[in-house]
Amino acid sequence: KQEVTQIPAALSVPEGENLVLNCSFTDSAIYNLQWFRQDPGKGLTSLLLIQSSQREQTSGRLNASLDKSSGRSTLYIAASQPGDSATYLCAVDISGGGADGLTFGKGTHLIIQP
Amino acid sequence: DTGVSQDPRHKITKRGQNVTFRCDPISEHNRLYWYRQTLGQGPEFLTYFQNEAQLEKSRLLSDRFSAERPKGSFSTLEIQRTEQGDSAMYLCASSLGPPDYGYTFGSGTRLTVV
């Protein structure tokens, strides 16, 4: 059974710092990995999607990497801002969009101090 | 593209009542998923439709839970005889078909059973 773990569970840093969020998964047979952001009481906003054949994806100040063989992904946030405060969720797709849906970690709760 | 819409945003119900939630996916997305998220946890996959066919429902939490997608467009999730343990955020997602395409989530329906 696929399990996804996110470390740290919570993180608080001053504004302007660069930071790294970690995600690990137990079964390397994934189709893709997706990072999401969730604001309190809200739904999920997709940040980055990495295909299993890719090593990284970038969007603005965000960079996500994938090492499928070791079962790891990182989300790098550059020059953090208070508006980045949210919970960040990592999810893997093991069935190519089919009967298993996405398997999520519990998330990293991020606070950026002004 | 107006995104994935979910209705209602919030629902408070008394224990034992039936509730129904609606999800309108992105119009061209043929795949639709339901998830449940409890406090401090990542979303948990419940069920999956491709067009109007429900291809996975074994992960629905009990026989009190059912879902439909009658014409391959909107979907409903019904919970019968609600229990306090059903209190959670219920999220809907749609997709064109991973792994090339990621998932787009709605804002969710927050259910409180009193």
Side-chain angles (χ1 to χ4, degrees), chain B residues 19-23 32-36 45-80 90-93:
Chain B
V19 294
T20 300
F21 310 139
R22 178 179 170 122
C23 172
L32 186 146
Y33 308 80
W34 285 98
Y35 290 78
R36 182 183 79 158
F45 171 69
L46 297 178
T47 189
Y48 155 59
F49 291 87
Q50 187 163 338
N51 301 310
E52 67 274 12
Q54 189 175 14
L55 299 184
E56 172 56 53
K57 57 183 179 181
S58 68
R59 307 268 284 272
L60 287 167
L61 300 163
S62 78
D63 58 7
R64 298 184 296 105
F65 287 70
S66 63
E68 295 183 340
R69 193 183 184 195
K71 295 184 178 180
S73 56
F74 74 91
S75 175
T76 57
L77 177 69
E78 181 181 18
I79 309 173
Q80 296 182 330
Y90 291 85
L91 294 160
C92 175

Side-chain angles (χ1 to χ4, degrees), chain A residues 36-56:
Chain A
F36 294 90
R37 168 187 172 136
Q38 187 173 33
D39 293 293
K42 305 292 186 182
L44 278 62
T45 301
S46 179
L47 298 174
L48 289 163
L49 171 70
I50 311 178
Q51 306 292 352
S52 61
S53 59
Q54 297 174 325
R55 297 283 294 183
E56 65 178 328

Side-chain angles (χ1 to χ4, degrees), chain A residues 31-32 34 36 38 41-46 49 51 89 93 95-107, chain B residues 9 31 33 35 37 40-43 45 48 55-56 59 89 91 97-103 105-108 110:
Chain A
Y31 282 84
N32 62 39
Q34 200 164 354
F36 294 90
Q38 187 173 33
K42 305 292 186 182
L44 278 62
T45 301
S46 179
L49 171 70
Q51 306 292 352
L89 292 157
D93 185 347
S95 59
D100 292 294
L102 289 172
T103 302
F104 282 84
K106 292 184 179 181
Chain B
R9 293 295 308 278
R31 301 184 187 209
Y33 308 80
Y35 290 78
Q37 186 179 27
Q41 303 294 313
F45 171 69
Y48 155 59
L55 299 184
E56 172 56 53
R59 307 268 284 272
M89 175 77 88
L91 294 160
D100 294 331
Y101 300 94
Y103 297 70
F105 279 79
S107 298
R110 167 73 65 188

